């Protein structure tokens, strides 16, 4: 891939943005033109003028109105303006300009008058992340500071995309193959399996029982999952259905209702549940016919139907469990990134990949993203060009779509915003949302290395409002690589690679202020290794890197301007996920490793290589931050042992109050331990022996105490598996508790066990 800085040239700013005023007329003796910036009329020594449909203004006045620091380099003939979001350089001798190092020819050329330089107003404003509009009748230019510019029109969108090297390379082979399926309409029919009661279940004392929730990154910011409970019922995404089970009391456990969806039309993925609502989020498709005659290029598509992926949200009223009703349906175009729920507010993000080929061929119907909301009259609402924002100097040929809705206000329409951008990982607090995207470093004289863009948004009563943009070298691992604390945003990245010579990997911590400006950083941590897990906990951060051993770094983040490493611990293995136990202890879930020597074809030793073994659980004591220690460890199985927890934190059940820790695991074991490695000095894989839940107690004095294991597999299932694990519908996916009952949940079964002794109370088969 080529450098990102070549891709994100001043696409809109210099190529197309300057045609923003198509209705203006160049004229001598023209009327006075006003320029208003945030309700303040700007005063110029040389009056603005219209030349060849461009409004030219003295640049310094506008730069200063936008709070940019302006400097002039006499030797090179370069003007530089530095704002919160951007660095703009204009070389008057070369007639070139650059934003954040992305260089292009400056056109039209500046105008010199009375010793002052005049530049197009939209260019100088939008380059510094301001929004410009033109009031023709009043001959007035309006500038709004710290507001992203908008696309504005179909022609401008085409010009933007024409400058995107990413888009051209992606589609240079012709139009991409598109799969056609039936029109997506979730049926959401509800089938009652057994009588249900709307009463809330109580324990013997008459008090409401406590119950587990999804393992969350941030307390109070809910995340969607396969399983949810409200303390009385269990709600489960199950084989293109949502299964509702009355779970408490466990002796009367029963399937009460099943919400079914048509296969190929709607695929549920995640759930949210509160006292009144069940929210089902899933994937769907929107098919539409082309509104033009067939041409030769369409010979592989018949009938001429195109497909758009969408994310659909179905909202049900569950206040009366015996009469569950679907009350609302919303839909966003694009593929699902993630969602969050804060109180009654649900926030969604999607990526909509732009159909470059069709847009450039003049098919405007492919240009605009759309959404649906069942409370709106229009069955399909396109987001207009005037509401689609872009990031000057940082083009992505995608739409990042963000939306919010309030479950407690069913008549309030969903708020939707769209940006020429993309997102890969989402981090959110109750008031902010950050979308991270991998790209290439921008700027002059930089090497072609990956970087991370972070879009910051404010969450405001269901609205997602853009705030600022940050950029750091390297790439992130997942959502836990990001954190916000006391107004500062922290992010951990890995730059370089662990396998390519000349680009040694290094790990970094960066801290941003509210305006996404870097205030502090630590770079070049653990050269040659990469990040395997990160956890931010208040004024501390913990980072695990790995290549041959597992260094755990303890990082002091109390001073956001001067972060520093306090201590490090190196042990075999690595942690994929770090979970806080208390302020001085954390639990690592990962893999054990063994380091073995390697030989070439002549039998000469050429070094060593680390191989993962069984699943490893470690308890780290960081009471002495300068000397962290591993107090206890537990190894489960041998090479090949795996758990969804190593990839998805939601698979963990943890309660310090109940001294409870449980997770699903697939165990592989080597029968003959003396044969620990193969002829090539590679460790052997184990044979399949178990799939189910491991249930632990965790004692700071005694360590991990295996309380017991629970499986849904019977002897016949083990015989069918043979030596290798396979995807069985009885594989346990989640573990939850309600009161003093532990529930293990698979697609075919729910088992209830006494939490104190793990004695089985009841086993419930889920209808297929």
């Amino acid at each position: 891939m080529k450098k990102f800085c070549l891709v994100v040239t001043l696409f809109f700013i210099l190529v197309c943005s300057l045609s923003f005023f198509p209705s203006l007329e160049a004229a001598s003796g023209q009327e006075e033109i006003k320029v208003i910036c945030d309700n303040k009329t700007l005063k110029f020594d040389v009056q603005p003028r219209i030349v060849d449909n461009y409004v030219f203004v003295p640049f310094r006045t506008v730069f200063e109105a936008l709070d940019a620091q302006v400097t002039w380099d006499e030797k090179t003939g370069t003007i530089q303006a530095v704002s919160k979001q951007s660095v703009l350089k204009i070389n008057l001798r070369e007639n070139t300009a650059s934003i954040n190092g992305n260089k292009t020819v400056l056109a039209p050329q500046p105008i010199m008058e009375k010793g002052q330089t005049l530049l197009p107003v939209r260019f100088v404003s939008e380059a510094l992340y301001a929004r410009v509009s033109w009031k023709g009748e009043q001959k007035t230019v309006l500038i709004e500071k710290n507001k992203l510019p908008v696309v504005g029109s179909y022609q401008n969108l085409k010009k933007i995309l024409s400058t995107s090297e990413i888009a051209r390379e992606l589609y240079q082979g012709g139009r991409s193959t598109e799969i056609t399926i039936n029109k997506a309409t979730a049926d959401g029919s509800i089938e009652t399996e057994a009588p249900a009661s709307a009463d809330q279940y109580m324990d013997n004392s008459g008090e409401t029982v406590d119950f587990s929730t999804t393992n969350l990154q941030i307390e109070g910011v809910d995340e969607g999952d396969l399983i949810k409970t409200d303390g009385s019922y269990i709600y489960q995404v199950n084989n293109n259905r949502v299964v509702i089970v009355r779970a408490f009391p466990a002796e009367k456990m029963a399937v009460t209702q099943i919400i079914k969806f048509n296969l190929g039309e709607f695929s549920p993925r995640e759930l949210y549940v509160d006292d009144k609502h069940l929210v089902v989020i899933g994937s769907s498709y929107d098919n539409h016919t082309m509104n033009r005659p067939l041409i030769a290029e369409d010979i592989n598509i018949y009938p001429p139907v195109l497909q758009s992926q969408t994310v659909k949200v179905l909202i049900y009223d569950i206040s009366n469990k015996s009469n569950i009703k679907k009350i609302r349906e919303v839909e966003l175009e694009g593929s699902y990134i993630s969602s969050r729920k804060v109180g009654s507010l649900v926030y969604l993000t999607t990526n909509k990949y732009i159909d470059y080929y069709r847009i450039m061929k003049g098919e405007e119907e492919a240009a605009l993203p759309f959404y649906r909301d069942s409370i709106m009259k229009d069955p399909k609402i396109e987001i207009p060009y005037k509401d689609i924002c872009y990031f000057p100097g940082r083009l992505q040929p995608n739409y990042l779509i963000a939306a919010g809705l309030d479950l407690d206000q069913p008549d309030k329409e969903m708020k939707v915003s769209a940006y020429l951008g993309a997102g890969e990982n989402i981090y959110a607090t109750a008031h902010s949302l950050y979308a991270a995207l991998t790209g290439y470093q921008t700027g002059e004289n930089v090497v072609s290395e990956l970087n991370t863009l972070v879009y910051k948004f404010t969450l405001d009563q269901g609205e997602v409002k853009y705030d600022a943009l940050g950029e750091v070298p390297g790439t992130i691992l997942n959502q836990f690589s990001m954190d916000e604390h006391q107004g500062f945003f922290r992010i951990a990245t890995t730059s370089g690679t662990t396998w390519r010579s000349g680009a040694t990997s290094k790990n970094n911590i960066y801290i941003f202020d509210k305006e996404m400006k870097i205030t502090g950083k630590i770079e070049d941590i653990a050269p040659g290794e990469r990040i395997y897990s990160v956890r931010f906990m208040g004024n501390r951060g913990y980072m695990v890197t790995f290549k041959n051993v597992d260094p755990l770094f303890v990082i002091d983040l109390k001073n956001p301007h001067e972060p520093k490493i306090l201590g490090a611990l190196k042990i075999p293995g690595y942690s994929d996920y770090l979970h806080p136990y208390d302020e001085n202890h954390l639990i690592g879930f990962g893999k054990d490793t063994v380091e073995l020597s390697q030989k070439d074809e002549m039998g000469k030793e050429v070094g060593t290589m680390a191989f993962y073994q069984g699943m490893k659980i470690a308890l780290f004591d960081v009471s002495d931050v300068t000397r962290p220690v591993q107090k206890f460890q537990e190894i489960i199985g041998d090479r090949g042992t795996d758990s969804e927890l190593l990839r998805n934190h939601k698979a963990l059940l943890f309660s310090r109050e109940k001294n409870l820790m449980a997770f699903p695991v697939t165990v592989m074991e080597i029968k003959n331990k003396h044969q620990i490695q193969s002829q090539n000095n590679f460790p052997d894989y184990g044979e399949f022996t178990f799939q189910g839940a491991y249930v632990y107690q965790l004692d700071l004095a005694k360590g991990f105490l295996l309380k017991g294991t629970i499986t849904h597999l019977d002897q016949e299932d083990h015989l069918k598996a043979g030596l290798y694990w396979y995807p069985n519908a009885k594989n346990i996916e989640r573990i939850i508790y309600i009161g003093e009952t532990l529930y293990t949940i698979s697609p075919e079964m729910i088992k209830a066990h006494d939490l104190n002794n793990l004695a089985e109370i009841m086993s419930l088969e889920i209808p297929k």
Side-chain angles (χ1 to χ4, degrees):
M1 294 179 67
K2 297 182 179 180
K3 290 171 59 177
F4 185 72
C5 62
L6 295 178
V7 177
V8 287
T9 56
L10 300 177
F11 50 98
F12 199 19
I13 300 296
L14 298 175
V15 178
C16 65
S17 301
L18 304 178
S19 61
F20 179 69
F21 306 109
S23 63
L24 301 182
E25 298 178 357
S28 58
Q30 57 191 301
E31 298 179 25
E32 179 182 353
I33 297 172
K34 291 184 179 180
V35 179
I36 301 175
C37 181
D38 280 3
N39 298 318
K40 180 180 179 181
T41 301
L42 304 186
K43 302 297 183 182
F44 301 95
D45 294 334
V46 176
Q47 292 303 308
R49 61 180 56 212
I50 300 174
V51 178
D52 295 332
N53 291 339
Y54 303 118
V55 175
F56 282 79
V57 296
F59 71 87
R60 179 177 290 273
T61 303
V62 175
F63 284 163
E64 292 177 348
L66 295 175
D67 302 322
Q69 295 180 354
V70 185
T71 58
W72 163 253
D73 188 333
E74 178 69 31
K75 180 181 292 186
T76 62
T78 300
I79 304 164
Q80 177 174 280
V82 180
S83 70
K84 295 178 181 179
Q85 299 285 355
S86 194
V87 176
L88 170 64
K89 294 182 180 180
I90 303 171
N91 191 306
L92 298 179
R93 296 175 185 172
E94 298 178 355
N95 280 325
T96 60
S98 69
I99 298 178
N100 301 318
N102 302 306
K103 193 174 182 179
T104 189
V105 175
L106 181 61
Q109 295 184 9
I111 296 175
M112 301 297 296
E113 184 173 336
K114 297 181 180 179
Q116 293 200 33
T117 303
L118 279 66
L119 294 170
V121 66
R122 186 170 187 186
F123 165 59
V124 297
S125 301
E126 294 190 349
L128 299 180
Y129 281 62
R131 185 176 297 179
V132 179
S133 58
W134 169 252
K135 302 298 181 182
E137 293 183 359
Q138 292 82 22
K139 297 288 184 180
T140 300
V141 177
L142 298 180
I143 303 174
E144 298 174 88
K145 294 195 296 187
N146 302 321
K147 259 196 171 183
L148 289 177
V150 297
V151 171
S153 71
Y154 173 58
Q155 292 301 321
N156 284 340
L157 175 63
K158 289 176 64 177
K159 292 175 182 177
I160 294 172
L161 294 178
S162 69
T163 67
S164 169
E165 195 165 325
I166 288 178
R168 291 199 302 272
E169 290 182 355
L170 186 61
Y171 295 98
Q172 65 183 355
R175 86 183 314 144
S176 57
T177 302
E178 301 194 49
I179 302 172
T180 301
I181 64 172
N182 294 329
K183 185 176 181 180
T185 304
D187 175 62
S189 59
I190 302 174
E191 178 179 321
T192 301
E193 297 290 334
S197 171
D199 295 334
Q200 186 171 28
Y201 289 93
M202 307 288 180
D203 62 13
N204 293 333
S205 67
E207 296 181 356
T208 304
V209 298
D210 66 332
F211 55 90
S212 59
T213 59
T214 300
N215 181 30
L216 304 176
Q217 181 179 8
I218 299 296
E219 184 178 356
V221 181
D222 200 5
E223 301 178 39
D225 197 14
L226 298 171
I227 305 295
K228 293 286 185 178
T229 181
D230 57 11
S232 298
Y233 289 80
I234 293 174
Y235 305 81
Q236 178 193 28
V237 173
N238 185 314
N239 294 325
N240 222 63
R241 308 171 298 171
V242 172
V243 175
I244 303 175
V245 173
R246 187 185 63 218
F248 187 84
E251 298 83 356
K252 298 181 180 180
M253 186 166 54
V255 175
T256 58
Q257 296 183 358
I258 295 178
I259 304 175
K260 297 183 176 180
F261 306 99
N262 295 330
L263 186 64
E265 296 184 357
F266 176 74
S267 299
R269 298 178 56 173
E270 294 182 344
L271 304 171
Y272 289 100
V273 170
D274 58 31
D275 293 340
K276 297 179 289 185
H277 302 104
L278 165 66
V279 179
V280 184
I281 300 176
S283 300
S284 186
Y285 294 90
D286 179 83
N287 295 338
H288 50 281
T289 304
M290 292 187 297
N291 296 319
R292 61 171 176 76
L294 283 175
I295 58 177
E297 296 172 358
D298 296 321
I299 58 175
N300 292 325
I301 303 177
Y302 188 84
V305 176
L306 301 174
Q307 176 199 76
S308 297
Q309 186 173 358
T310 66
V311 174
K312 187 173 288 188
V313 182
L314 309 179
I315 302 169
Y316 295 86
D317 182 347
I318 59 171
S319 55
N320 182 352
K321 299 297 191 298
S322 61
N323 187 24
I324 294 178
K325 298 179 180 179
K326 185 171 73 171
I327 58 175
R328 190 173 181 183
E329 182 176 310
V330 300
E331 190 172 12
L332 291 179
E333 190 175 16
S335 57
Y336 187 49
I337 303 175
S338 191
S339 63
R340 295 293 188 272
K341 183 174 182 289
V342 182
S344 64
L345 302 170
V346 177
Y347 297 96
L348 302 161
T349 53
T350 68
N351 274 333
K352 158 61 179 171
Y353 296 102
I354 292 176
D355 195 331
Y356 177 87
Y357 181 90
R358 294 183 61 206
I359 292 174
M360 302 309 289
K361 287 292 184 180
E363 298 178 30
E364 187 172 357
E365 65 269 22
L368 294 176
F370 68 85
Y371 67 96
R372 295 187 177 96
D373 189 340
S374 60
I375 71 169
M376 305 293 289
K377 294 182 179 180
D378 296 330
K380 184 174 180 179
I381 304 167
E382 289 186 331
I383 303 174
Y385 298 109
K386 67 180 181 64
D387 292 337
I388 300 175
C389 300
Y390 75 96
F391 301 92
R394 295 180 173 96
L395 173 63
Q396 285 289 328
N398 311 277
Y399 290 123
L400 172 62
I401 304 174
L405 65 150
D406 190 340
L407 300 178
D408 286 346
Q409 298 188 50
D411 297 328
K412 183 179 179 181
E413 66 182 79
M414 178 172 62
K415 299 296 183 181
V416 182
S417 55
Y419 307 85
L420 270 178
E424 294 170 354
N425 286 282
I426 296 296
Y427 167 80
T429 68
H431 306 289
S432 300
L433 184 145
Y434 298 84
L437 170 68
T438 300
Y440 274 84
Q441 289 189 38
T442 61
E444 299 175 2
N445 303 317
V446 299
V447 296
S448 180
E449 292 290 349
L450 292 172
N451 75 338
T452 297
L453 295 174
V454 182
Y455 307 106
K456 179 185 176 183
F457 301 90
T458 294
L459 303 180
D460 182 14
Q461 298 301 311
E463 291 191 52
V464 183
K465 302 176 180 178
Y466 171 78
D467 257 358
L469 173 67
E471 183 175 3
V472 291
T475 61
I476 68 171
L477 178 67
N478 52 34
Q479 68 186 64
F480 287 92
S481 300
M482 298 180 282
D483 180 76
E484 184 187 275
H485 181 64
Q486 296 181 347
F488 290 90
F489 176 73
R490 295 92 70 93
I491 186 170
T493 70
T494 297
S495 54
T497 67
T498 57
W499 50 268
R500 192 176 70 192
S501 61
T504 302
S505 63
K506 298 175 183 178
N507 305 286
N508 321 288
I509 295 283
Y510 297 97
I511 304 177
F512 292 82
D513 61 17
K514 294 181 180 180
E515 297 175 348
M516 295 304 285
K517 290 296 184 182
I518 293 178
T519 63
K521 61 183 178 180
I522 308 175
E523 296 181 311
D524 302 339
I525 305 170
E529 302 180 0
R530 67 180 179 87
I531 292 174
Y532 270 61
S533 57
V534 182
R535 192 77 192 220
F536 293 97
M537 296 166 54
N539 290 327
R540 290 187 198 168
Y542 301 94
M543 175 193 293
V544 170
T545 62
F546 179 76
K547 187 173 183 181
N548 289 331
V549 294
D550 174 1
L552 169 68
F553 292 93
V554 182
I555 302 166
D556 182 6
L557 303 170
K558 186 175 183 179
N559 184 346
H561 301 281
E562 295 183 4
K564 56 186 177 182
I565 297 175
L566 298 175
L569 168 68
K570 290 195 174 185
I571 52 177
Y574 58 84
S575 298
D576 289 295
Y577 172 64
L578 295 172
H579 189 84
Y581 180 85
D582 60 25
E583 62 180 7
N584 290 318
H585 297 86
L586 67 158
I587 312 165
F589 299 88
K591 289 290 184 73
D592 188 28
T593 60
V594 60
E595 189 172 359
L596 299 176
S597 61
Q598 300 297 298
K599 298 180 180 180
D600 60 18
E601 296 178 354
M602 304 300 294
K604 180 181 178 181
E605 289 194 7
V606 293
T608 62
M609 183 178 295
F611 298 90
Y612 69 82
Q613 298 293 287
M615 182 176 177
K616 175 183 175 181
I617 315 171
L619 178 66
F620 299 105
D621 185 343
V622 291
S623 301
D624 183 350
V625 293
T626 63
R627 295 178 179 176
V629 297
Q630 178 181 282
K631 288 192 67 174
F632 302 101
Q633 74 169 16
E634 178 87 350
I635 306 297
I636 303 174
D638 296 303
R639 187 167 170 82
T641 298
D642 193 27
S643 172
E644 185 184 351
L645 174 55
L646 305 183
R647 297 171 295 277
N648 186 354
H649 62 284
K650 301 171 189 175
L652 175 66
L653 169 65
F654 178 79
S655 172
R656 191 174 67 177
E657 293 74 16
K658 289 184 175 292
N659 194 12
L660 172 65
M661 183 178 75
F663 49 86
V665 62
T666 300
V667 181
M668 311 288 282
E669 293 181 331
I670 297 174
K671 302 301 182 182
N672 299 314
K673 292 291 186 179
H674 64 278
Q675 297 178 349
I676 61 171
Q677 56 193 43
S678 66
Q679 296 178 353
N680 295 326
N681 213 24
F682 277 46
D684 285 338
Y685 281 89
E687 300 176 9
F688 173 69
T689 59
F690 177 85
Q691 198 291 326
Y694 267 49
V695 184
Y696 284 91
Q697 290 180 329
L698 177 54
D699 190 302
L700 292 182
K702 298 179 181 179
F704 300 101
L705 303 175
L706 182 61
K707 194 170 183 177
T709 62
I710 302 171
T711 184
H712 292 185
L713 304 182
D714 55 28
Q715 185 176 2
E716 182 180 356
D717 295 318
H718 277 274
L719 291 174
K720 289 179 180 179
L723 301 179
Y724 305 99
W725 169 85
Y726 68 104
N728 191 307
K730 293 181 182 178
N731 290 330
I732 292 175
E733 297 178 324
R734 296 289 186 272
I735 306 102
I736 65 171
Y737 71 80
I738 301 176
E740 295 302 311
T741 303
L742 188 74
Y743 298 84
T744 54
I745 305 162
S746 68
E748 283 194 7
M749 184 179 297
I750 298 179
K751 282 188 176 183
H753 291 254
D754 187 294
L755 191 56
N756 297 306
N757 55 24
L758 296 189
E760 184 173 330
I761 300 172
M762 184 177 178
S763 178
L764 174 68
E765 290 189 7
I766 299 174
K768 296 182 180 179

